[in-house]
């Protein structure tokens, strides 16, 4: 594969090489991915086991929307999930630690995740059109 030369980075979570049409996630050992392989991008809120309230509703996650149905006492980690056309996928963390829902840190990580998702959605959209 060609040399990776970053031309754009998003908050340190993801880097893009426009010249070679490649991207990478530094936290995933800088593994390199091709623009054309991105099929779908999601934000996932992964609940921390043992830190959620004890009701059935609190443990239900709407995975397609990446929404956790839970009380504010639930702790989650905000992550990005990228699905590829070969049905493989990767996930990487936006949150460093599990955060309590609806706290300032949680909302800040959600904002960062939206920014990263927006950058990757450009590839998803482009691949749907081609």
């Amino acid at each position: 594969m060609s040399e990776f030369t970053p031309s754009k980075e998003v908050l340190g979570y993801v880097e893009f090489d426009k010249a070679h049409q490649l991207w990478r996630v530094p936290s995933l050992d800088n593994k390199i991915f091709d623009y054309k392989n991105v099929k779908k991008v999601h934000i996932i809120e992964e609940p921390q086991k043992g830190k959620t309230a004890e009701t059935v509703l609190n443990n239900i996650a709407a995975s397609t929307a990446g929404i956790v149905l839970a009380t504010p006492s639930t702790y989650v980690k905000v992550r990005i999930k990228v699905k590829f056309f070969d049905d493989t996928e990767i996930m990487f963390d936006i949150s460093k630690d599990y955060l309590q829902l609806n706290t300032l840190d949680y909302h800040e990580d959600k904002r960062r995740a939206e920014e990263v998702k927006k950058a990757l959605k450009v590839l998803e959209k482009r691949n749907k059109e081609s």
Side-chain angles (χ1 to χ4, degrees):
M1 203 170 267
S2 13
E3 185 70 28
F4 188 89
T5 310
S7 54
K8 178 183 177 183
E9 65 97 21
V10 181
L11 305 173
Y13 294 102
V14 104
E15 297 175 338
F16 297 91
D17 177 349
K18 190 173 183 177
H20 298 105
Q21 304 285 288
L22 301 169
W23 64 281
R24 70 181 175 192
V25 179
S27 66
L28 296 178
D29 297 324
N30 288 316
K31 187 171 179 194
I32 297 172
F33 306 97
D34 200 308
Y35 280 14
K36 69 179 185 254
N37 293 335
V38 175
K39 181 178 182 180
K40 197 81 180 147
V41 182
H42 299 282
I43 294 174
I44 303 294
E45 294 179 0
E46 181 182 286
Q48 184 178 18
K49 291 173 180 36
K51 285 277 192 170
T52 56
E54 299 276 325
T55 66
V56 174
L57 262 187
N58 291 342
N59 296 320
I60 299 173
S63 62
T64 55
I67 299 168
V68 174
L69 303 175
T71 65
S73 65
T74 300
Y75 285 77
V76 297
K77 188 175 271 194
V78 180
R79 308 181 88 195
I80 298 289
K81 178 178 174 180
V82 181
K83 188 166 186 165
F84 301 108
F85 282 104
D86 66 359
D87 287 328
T88 61
E89 60 190 34
I90 61 163
M91 283 202 291
F92 58 95
D93 296 337
I94 299 299
S95 302
K96 285 183 171 71
D97 297 307
Y98 286 92
L99 303 168
Q100 190 171 354
L101 282 178
N102 295 318
T103 60
L104 289 175
D105 288 341
Y106 163 79
H107 288 294
E108 181 62 22
D109 279 1
K110 281 289 283 194
R111 185 196 61 74
R112 285 189 193 111
E114 288 294 341
E115 201 167 327
V116 172
K117 178 183 170 186
K118 182 179 172 185
L120 289 167
K121 279 282 190 186
V122 170
L123 303 180
E124 176 187 318
K125 185 175 190 280
R126 188 176 105 180
N127 292 336
K128 282 183 181 172
E129 293 171 353
S130 55

